[in-house]
């Protein structure tokens, strides 16, 4: 029942300078607030709505930047991987390998990630039930790695809409014993909702984050940017960097209450 | 931004003695905690899963009991109405008339309830979007009554399952300016999920309640019973009376944080 | 395995003249095609999206018109009822009493309708599973009436959208042994989807109708109008009257195939 | 508007002998009925519910078997690919490369498949809307390949359940101009519904197939097995081989009607 950790950064790596700038700024905020911080960014957006959308800097250019962030600020780094063959190389540098939600049932990817020995953060597929994640996690455990984080990022609800089912958080925790992370910014995505790109409801990020923290989570995943409107991806749902501190302070207050009490259990028996 | 009020009581009225017993017990707890309390119970279960399920004591027997509860403990009382013709008679005694979720689009019922001048508490239909409630509330306002409470009680999610979409709370508040209540026990129903009766996930009541309080609500609606297993309806989701105080204390702590802060708004513009 | 019957007419009764005009025109078409025809229209729209929407001519003015339609053309008539007290009076004239989807769990309405001895056509609630309809039908049977038709009209699928689950047709037939009707025009509604009114996808009516007929149904329910754009309700989903014959011919061809064969059953056992 | 083609075979390749046996048997039936036949089987089940589930014979052992089937019976063959690196090798032998539903947004896989010049059959993700498939297909077209088939296989509907939205078939056809295939056996899956494996409702295969054919499709995809109960995967939803001919005959009759008529269009505007 530690205070929540923060997995944050811009959706996509844009440049070495921007990555260092973002990591420094977020680190300053989380140090001030006493929050454990893991820097998150993607080197490739492998499943964009449209092929004409930007992809990212690529794995080879990204790894030295991840190293620079680690060296400069002493923060662990997280990135998502899309193919089994990427895992070993990414695992040499990156501390947390994230399995994208669409790929959460791909056995080979889960196993290759597991074999790096790094922490494996698995996003629950939008098409999966909370209780389906036990089998997903087991694929990683069977490959010899029990350092797993499970992430809620919304379930399909009709077309082009996700819904966050907060019953899923304690369900996954109970079924697996693993730490649960709430992805606050992808949960408000409207996939495909703007024709050739995904829309988002940024104004709902604090609402859903407060709910998740009150339910009880080990961490919050939130994409943030100094200028969301000009970001290459996920602009409609990222948190503006200048609001990050206020956002986190509010969550900390709720987190202290949530972690300070035993959860009430009304068993249905 | 007042502290949350509690609408609570057994799902169905069982007897005068049981009603007075329940009201007294809940009143003692809410007085101790400083929570505004409205006694809730139904005189008729008009839409049971099966015709062989128990219905209730009926309107004529119930009204004197509501009066007795008011007299004995000075608490306002709430009940749900099902037909326009019931409204005037119920409105002579009962302080809050509740429109059931299935009936939330029935214009004549909304208008007849409105005309009593009492507070009208409308449950959002499981088949409605949060933004649909503006039109529903307007039917009551057009009938001359603006004392309205809106209630979230879950949206249809596949078959025999509801999901609580917490984006709906601020959406309804923003669209209507009305107080929003979270129905903590019906939101965990599994309608029709046990063949001839509805099932429920009582163990999820505290989880969803904490989420709602953290998001920010004017009140919590929660059915409670001294012996849920023997209750004539909704046993699988009611809160055992002896856990009510602990449940409420936890919510109060979160409520103080949620109400003490301005909500962060990240406008998508 | 009779050929499909047609329940058709304008969504709302507009006037005696319009009712007679519509009944005559539809009767001419169905006579030509050899289709059993039941004239459908509503005397009241009791659950409009907005209170400012038109309601209808009302029960007292409607009953003589229903009689006139029956006298003039010898066709049975159907209307929907909303309150138990309406049933006896409507049942004196109207051959088929329809229970609206939102009201499909209201025990008193089902019982009062049952007691008329008329045919009771029950629309499956958007919030119900196909297997939930067994309990609904049982309420009518327990009240002494086994002349029941069940109707599929779409299930809630996210917000403001319905989906037609064609597995529900054989499921309801198997569970109850009752004839199943497919409501072709309400199934394409987009409830609340146009702010103060419901939208609709009229272009999908033939698609879903063909699917339903191929699966096998006892009847098609379809609202039609000589000028949908000027109709007081449901304009976006009604079938233009001048396309009705072509629409029906196509369905007849499929119906002959569907009814001519035994359904294949691959039991999962 | 050609008669529907059949993509069929056992879910997973079991052995050279079994593949040749199945291809011969299905070929005999489709020759008799005059149906175009494409043999389908998987060399790897890359996203099983559980890691302990069987995977398959693997790419290297499978390719000679695909060649043998083509040589022996002159039928085109289809298999699904999971990684970009598999595409070139598979494309040397296999006529139709299928993109799994979970992977339908993975740009690199779509592009690598496209570059083989083979027919690319894309399954619509359970998390996508019909109109999202235009962008998916465009990724293949932009990579220089317009030989694309789109496949409906169900959309997420609550947990562990899919629903077939038949509006999606004409929507995808209209948006892309591409042939639409209905996957009759995966559409009845209950993903994760049996704990460590997926369940299925085989008895619904004919129901949904008839609906799809009546709506109008270019082909049916259906897994079949001489002994489903002993198949290594998807047993609960495969068609028993000895029922295949009856199943297809029924669909042919409906197909003739559906293809013989122009679709009625009731435009909403």
């Amino acid at each position: 029942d530690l205070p929540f950790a923060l997995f944050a950064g811009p959706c996509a790596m844009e440049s070495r300078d921007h990555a260092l700038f973002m990591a420094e700024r977020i680190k300053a905020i989380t140090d001030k607030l006493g929050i454990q911080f893991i820097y998150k960014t993607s080197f490739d957006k492998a499943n964009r709505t449209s092929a004409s959308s930007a992809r990212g800097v690529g794995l080879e250019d990204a790894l030295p930047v991840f190293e620079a962030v680690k060296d400069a600020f002493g923060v662990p780094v997280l990135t998502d991987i899309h193919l089994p063959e990427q895992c070993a190389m990414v695992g040499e540098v990156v501390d947390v390998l994230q399995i994208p939600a669409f790929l959460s049932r791909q056995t080979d990817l889960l196993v290759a990630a597991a074999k790096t020995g790094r922490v494996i953060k698995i996003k629950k597929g939008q098409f999966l039930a909370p209780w389906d994640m036990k089998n997903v996690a087991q694929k990683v455990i069977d490959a010899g790695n029990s350092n797993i984080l499970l992430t809620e990022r919304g379930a399909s609800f009709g077309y082009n809409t996700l819904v966050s089912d907060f019953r899923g958080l304690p369900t996954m925790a109970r079924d697996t014993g693993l730490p649960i992370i709430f992805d606050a910014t992808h949960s408000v995505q409207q996939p495909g909702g703007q024709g050739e790109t995904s829309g988002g409801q940024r104004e709902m990020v604090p609402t859903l984050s407060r709910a998740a923290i009150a339910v009880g989570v080990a961490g919050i995943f939130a994409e943030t940017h100094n200028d969301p409107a000009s970001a290459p991806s996920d602009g409609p749902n990222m948190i503006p960097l200048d609001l990050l501190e206020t956002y986190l302070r509010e969550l900390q207050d709720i987190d202290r209450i949530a972690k300070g009490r035993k959860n009430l259990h009304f068993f249905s028996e």
Side-chain angles (χ1 to χ4, degrees), chain A:
Chain A
D1 278 1
L2 296 169
F4 74 90
L6 179 71
F7 300 78
C11 180
M13 186 180 287
E14 299 176 22
S15 68
R16 180 188 182 92
D17 283 354
H18 186 255
L20 288 166
F21 164 78
M22 288 297 299
E24 182 176 27
R25 290 289 302 273
I26 304 170
K27 182 70 160 55
I29 294 167
T30 52
D31 277 356
K32 187 168 152 191
L33 301 180
I35 294 174
Q36 161 78 3
F37 166 48
I38 302 93
Y39 185 71
K40 181 272 158 179
T41 200
S42 297
F43 61 84
D44 183 20
K45 309 309 297 179
N47 57 25
R48 300 299 302 267
T49 303
S50 160
S52 60
S53 305
R55 286 289 296 260
V57 300
L59 177 52
E60 280 172 43
D61 285 355
L63 289 181
V65 179
F66 284 120
E67 289 203 86
V69 167
K70 294 176 68 165
D71 287 350
F73 309 109
V75 297
V77 297
L78 172 153
T79 201
D80 38 342
I81 37 82
H82 312 278
L83 295 171
E85 70 201 45
Q86 298 169 334
C87 293
M89 198 171 158
V90 169
E92 282 177 31
V93 174
V94 168
D95 305 276
V96 184
L97 274 67
Q98 179 167 276
I99 308 291
F102 292 157
L103 304 181
S104 56
R105 286 270 297 263
Q106 302 303 314
T107 307
D108 289 340
L109 183 64
L110 290 160
V111 169
K115 291 196 168 153
T116 63
R118 295 293 193 171
V119 175
I120 309 305
K121 180 170 174 297
I122 313 172
K123 291 192 168 189
K124 184 171 82 64
Q126 298 87 339
F127 43 84
L128 291 180
W131 44 87
D132 295 333
M133 290 301 287
K134 184 172 55 177
N135 285 321
V136 169
Q138 196 62 42
K139 293 182 182 181
V140 176
I141 294 168
D142 289 350
N145 188 337
S146 299
N147 292 317
I148 304 171
L149 306 170
L150 299 183
T151 303
E152 169 61 39
R153 54 92 72 239
S156 290
F157 181 62
Y159 291 136
N160 301 316
T161 310
L162 301 170
V163 68
S164 297
D165 180 359
F166 287 102
R167 293 172 299 191
L169 276 40
T171 300
M172 291 192 285
R174 179 200 62 199
D175 285 357
T176 66
L178 296 171
I180 308 299
I181 313 298
F182 182 68
D183 180 339
T185 49
H186 290 97
S187 293
V188 302
Q189 269 188 333
Q190 294 170 313
Q194 302 189 341
E196 301 216 351
T197 58
S198 287
Q201 299 176 287
R202 183 189 303 144
E203 71 278 14
M204 290 297 172
V205 170
T207 293
L208 296 184
S209 300
R210 283 203 304 261
I213 289 283
V215 167
V217 288
I220 289 283
F221 178 103
E223 294 182 343
T224 182
H225 198 279
N226 54 312
D227 182 11
S230 71
S233 62
D234 277 19
N237 43 281
M238 280 197 280
I239 298 177
L241 182 57
D242 58 6
L243 293 173
L244 186 63
E245 181 176 341
T246 314
Y247 165 75
L248 292 172
R249 278 186 186 282
E250 186 176 58
L251 298 185
Q252 281 190 299
D253 290 344
I254 300 173
D255 194 47
R256 272 179 219 111
I257 304 298
K259 298 281 168 59
R261 292 191 166 275
K262 288 280 165 246
N263 290 355
L264 251 198
H265 293 296
F266 300 143
F267 294 107
S268 306
E269 76 271 10

